[in-house]
Amino acid sequence: MVEFRHDPSVVPEDPNDKVQYPEEYLREILSDVFKVAVLGYHPDYESAAYVERLKARGFHIIPVNPTLAGETHVNEVVPPSIFEIPTKIDMIQVFGGPEDAMFAARGIAEHKDKIGVKVLWLEPGTWNPDAARLAESAGVRVVMGLDAAEVAERLV
């Protein structure tokens, strides 16, 4: 297993600069993931297009958004939170801002065993090195600032 930590020596200060992840780290992560909870999913925003691309690669997508709770999107009933998903999930993919990244990381730190998450994927715009380190301290692998669909199309 390829190890990677978001310590200050590898995380650029500018969120427009990319973290240089080893390709094998990214490949391992995506190869070990099937069920993806997508925080911040909305059918009218770009998250919907990203989700469709991941779904086309064989990932099981669970859109999560409290304002859409109970509706059906991507053939799933939308839960209001990750804690309302009846089964364990492999990855939490976050769309939104840095505060959404921290919200997800705190949820992982407090409830990792209950939700079963192995990966926190912070999409561009959710840049938050503190959230990445918090999730890592809970034993979760993290990717920050990369498009999961693009990486999956390239490596999986």
Side-chain angles (χ1 to χ4, degrees):
M1 180 187 295
V2 176
E3 291 295 322
F4 185 89
R5 298 301 234 182
H6 288 82
D7 64 59
S9 67
V10 298
V11 177
E13 288 186 34
D14 184 347
N16 294 314
D17 294 336
K18 303 279 188 222
V19 175
Q20 298 302 309
Y21 294 101
E23 294 244 325
E24 192 57 31
Y25 175 78
L26 298 171
R27 187 177 288 109
E28 281 178 6
I29 284 174
L30 291 173
S31 296
D32 193 34
V33 165
F34 172 66
K35 195 175 287 189
V36 180
V38 181
L39 297 183
Y41 170 86
H42 196 283
D44 298 333
Y45 300 139
E46 66 182 339
S47 61
Y50 290 103
V51 163
E52 289 298 334
R53 290 169 54 207
L54 275 179
K55 190 170 181 168
R57 303 296 301 173
F59 294 91
H60 180 136
I61 304 297
I62 302 171
V64 180
N65 186 325
T67 62
L68 302 175
E71 295 180 15
T72 300
H73 294 277
V74 294
N75 298 322
E76 291 286 333
V77 175
V78 179
S81 77
I82 57 173
F83 306 113
E84 302 297 319
I85 298 171
T87 60
K88 292 191 176 193
I89 54 177
D90 299 314
M91 182 169 98
I92 297 174
Q93 179 184 23
V94 182
F95 288 92
E99 66 284 352
D100 299 304
M102 186 54 80
F103 175 79
R106 285 187 182 125
I108 289 168
E110 294 174 22
H111 305 283
K112 179 183 175 255
D113 293 335
K114 179 182 178 192
I115 58 178
V117 68
K118 299 180 258 184
V119 176
L120 174 62
W121 195 293
L122 304 175
E123 288 289 325
T126 58
W127 185 269
N128 191 325
D130 292 332
R133 287 188 280 273
L134 178 59
E136 285 173 337
S137 72
V140 171
R141 297 174 100 181
V142 178
V143 176
M144 181 173 65
L146 297 179
D147 169 6
E150 179 183 299
V151 174
E153 289 165 352
R154 186 168 47 86
L155 298 177
V156 179

